[in-house]
Amino acid sequence: MPSNLLADVEATGPDELVQVLRTCSAVRIERIVSHGQASPEGFWYDQDEPEFVVVLQGAARLRLENEVVEMAAGSYIEIPAHRRHRVEWTTSDEPTVWLAVFYRD
């Protein structure tokens, strides 16, 4: 039965909503809903697997070490494994909905 990635996206608390949609040995697909959240000061993601991420709704700013990337609906980026990155901000006037695909090379 089909589902809708943009359904049930209202913020329910201070944290992002992370929903694992599919996982197997080589791939994990997540829907992430942000509503004004950002990475804590000084925190960096440093993941063992590459990540392909697309913004489906809303907007965000990512920092990848010495690079700043503005993301709007339809924007996507591939982040290599161990490329340090953080979320600088997400829109607070509407949910930012991400689709993140983590995979093994």
Side-chain angles (χ1 to χ4, degrees):
M1 175 164 245
S3 296
N4 187 325
L5 292 170
L6 301 178
D8 302 320
V9 297
E10 291 305 313
T12 58
D15 298 323
E16 290 180 315
L17 170 66
V18 178
Q19 178 184 18
V20 177
L21 302 175
R22 181 73 169 100
T23 188
C24 67
S25 61
V27 176
R28 183 176 78 254
I29 303 171
E30 296 179 351
R31 180 183 80 151
I32 304 164
V33 180
S34 307
H35 203 273
Q37 284 93 357
S39 298
E41 190 65 39
F43 174 83
W44 292 89
Y45 290 99
D46 185 355
Q47 300 160 172
D48 291 333
E49 64 268 316
E51 176 183 1
F52 174 88
V53 64
V54 59
V55 172
L56 302 175
Q57 174 182 306
R61 179 183 303 130
L62 299 179
R63 180 170 299 277
L64 295 95
E65 297 173 313
N66 295 323
E67 180 183 359
V68 175
V69 179
E70 301 289 336
M71 308 272 299
S75 299
Y76 65 90
I77 188 169
E78 187 164 356
I79 304 170
H82 297 292
R83 176 122 191 239
R84 289 173 19 118
H85 61 285
R86 55 182 278 111
V87 178
E88 294 278 301
W89 65 264
T90 60
T91 54
S92 59
D93 59 338
E94 70 173 322
T96 298
V97 181
W98 314 75
L99 184 67
V101 180
F102 303 88
Y103 57 94
R104 299 276 180 203
D105 279 333

